Amino acid sequence: MANGEGSESEMSGGASQGGADSPLPPMPHRHADPTVAPSLLGGHHSVVHRGRPRWSTVALILLFAAALALYLALRPGG
């Protein structure tokens, strides 16, 4: 099969078999992946507090609050 010989027949044969009239195969039953967070799957679990927040989290919150206050104080037209 040099230079793609026979590729046209393979392509046309595969396309004609998957028409709109052919029934779809049954979907396999999917189980929830245990590595995915349950909250992403709609589960309702209580919040587990793991101690004090990291200093970087606190710093980012303070930085955001400062930027918001500065924007509100100096915004154009305000």
Side-chain angles (χ1 to χ4, degrees), residues 54-66:
R54 292 185 292 180
W55 69 269
S56 60
T57 304
V58 175
L60 285 174
I61 290 172
L62 291 176
L63 184 66
F64 175 77

Side-chain angles (χ1 to χ4, degrees), residues 66-78:
L68 181 63
L70 190 63
Y71 170 75
L72 292 175
L74 301 175
R75 66 181 168 183

